[in-house]
């Protein structure tokens, strides 16, 4: 199976703490991307959205579950899909850093393999479109 990758590199004139908070909070992240997202398992960390937390993205039988693997406040969120779905070996990595001019840089990289042959291109395009549309809203939501 082919490996598909999405790479988003954006800079915002919003403090890193606020950008991170938007992506870290499962409910607010869902509002940003325009999809229902619900935390179904809290993390054992101080932040209930941290490592080990599980969120359901989508509705009913079309939903997937994602588990947060790494959570470094204001710096990194890494997650994977842990339910059955149309893709496998999924990893999402969101890195937050400051720029030299006081802005926030966001690097969001997702990689996955398709299960159904030739479906990866469609999944990648749809996912990337939704993410980019949502990420454009960061300044107004953060």
């Amino acid at each position: 199976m082919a490996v598909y990758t999405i790479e988003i590199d954006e800079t915002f004139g919003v403090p890193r703490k606020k950008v991170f908070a938007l992506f870290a909070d499962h409910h607010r992240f869902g509002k940003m991307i325009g999809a229902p997202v619900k935390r179904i398992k809290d993390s054992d960390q101080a932040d209930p959205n941290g490592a080990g937390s599980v969120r359901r993205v989508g509705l009913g039988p079309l939903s997937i579950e994602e588990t947060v693997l790494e959570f470094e406040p204001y710096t990194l969120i890494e997650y994977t899909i842990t339910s059955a779905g149309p893709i496998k070996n999924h990893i999402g990595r969101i890195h937050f850093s400051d720029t030299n001019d006081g802005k926030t840089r966001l690097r969001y990289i997702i990689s996955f393999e398709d299960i159904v042959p030739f479906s990866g291109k469609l999944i990648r395009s749809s996912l990337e479109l939704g993410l980019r549309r949502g990420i454009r809203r960061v300044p107004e939501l953060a």
Side-chain angles (χ1 to χ4, degrees):
M1 297 290 145
V3 176
Y4 297 89
T5 303
I6 298 168
E7 293 187 38
I8 299 172
D9 192 340
E10 294 286 338
T11 303
F12 307 101
V14 178
R16 180 165 41 138
K17 284 185 173 187
K18 288 187 174 192
V19 176
F20 181 87
L22 177 61
F23 281 80
D25 183 289
H26 299 321
H27 180 71
R28 290 181 67 206
F29 179 75
K31 283 187 169 193
M32 180 183 71
I33 63 170
V37 177
K38 180 180 181 182
R39 187 177 62 243
I40 58 174
K41 180 182 179 230
D42 290 353
S43 168
D44 291 334
Q45 293 183 324
D47 188 318
N49 297 302
S53 69
V54 179
R55 63 186 177 203
R56 179 172 292 123
V57 180
L59 294 171
L62 299 178
S63 66
I64 58 167
E65 291 181 8
E66 297 176 339
T67 300
V68 176
L69 302 173
E70 288 190 50
F71 188 90
E72 297 174 25
Y74 316 118
T75 304
L76 175 70
I77 301 169
E78 186 173 277
Y79 64 94
T80 188
I81 293 177
T82 49
S83 64
I87 59 177
K88 63 181 181 178
N89 298 325
H90 171 279
I91 192 81
R93 185 174 179 86
I94 312 167
H95 186 262
F96 306 83
S97 60
D98 295 324
T99 64
N100 291 334
D101 58 355
K103 296 181 180 179
T104 300
R105 181 179 183 200
L106 171 86
R107 293 211 58 225
Y108 195 155
I109 301 172
I110 297 173
S111 64
F112 63 90
E113 296 176 42
D114 57 4
I115 292 175
V116 177
F118 309 110
S119 65
K121 286 182 182 180
L122 177 62
I123 293 168
R124 179 183 61 202
S125 295
S126 299
L127 182 56
E128 184 171 9
L129 179 65
L131 286 172
R132 285 189 184 279
R133 186 177 302 138
I135 287 172
R136 275 190 233 117
R137 299 181 62 210
V138 165
E140 74 185 65
L141 297 174

